[in-house]
Amino acid sequence: MCLGIPGQVVDIVDAEQHLAKVDVNGVRRIISVRLLVNEGLQIGDWVLVHVGFAMSKIDEREAQLTLDQVQKMGADYVNEIDAFNSSQIA
């Protein structure tokens, strides 16, 4: 199962290439934010991350509610975090 996991933008790594570093449950990775080019993403914003892409911008409350729910999924949540931990966009 593939989940969308909330992540917080901690750095805009390359604005021209639409790359940002996000923190997902303590794991930091560079992802593509190209799909949100018109959202005006800034450090501190929350995004829903799926397979290395920010799919949508969400607020902090929605991020926390989503995290609470996906953590209840047990193994699927752990597997998604493990997959995020082992992935990286060059």
Side-chain angles (χ1 to χ4, degrees), residues 15-16 18 33-41 54:
E16 192 171 296
H18 309 291
V33 293
R34 184 176 301 275
L35 297 174
L36 305 180
V37 70
N38 296 324
E39 296 290 327
L41 285 181

Side-chain angles (χ1 to χ4, degrees), residues 5-10 22-26 31 33 36 39 41-49 54-67:
I5 303 291
Q8 189 170 31
V9 177
V10 296
V22 296
D23 184 301
V24 173
N25 198 42
I31 65 165
V33 293
L36 305 180
E39 296 290 327
L41 285 181
Q42 299 178 19
I43 294 171
D45 285 344
W46 286 88
V47 294
L48 197 58
V49 180
M55 303 301 292
S56 63
K57 183 176 173 181
I58 58 177
D59 63 32
E60 186 173 2
R61 181 176 182 277
E62 184 177 354
Q64 191 56 56
L65 288 172
T66 303
L67 281 172

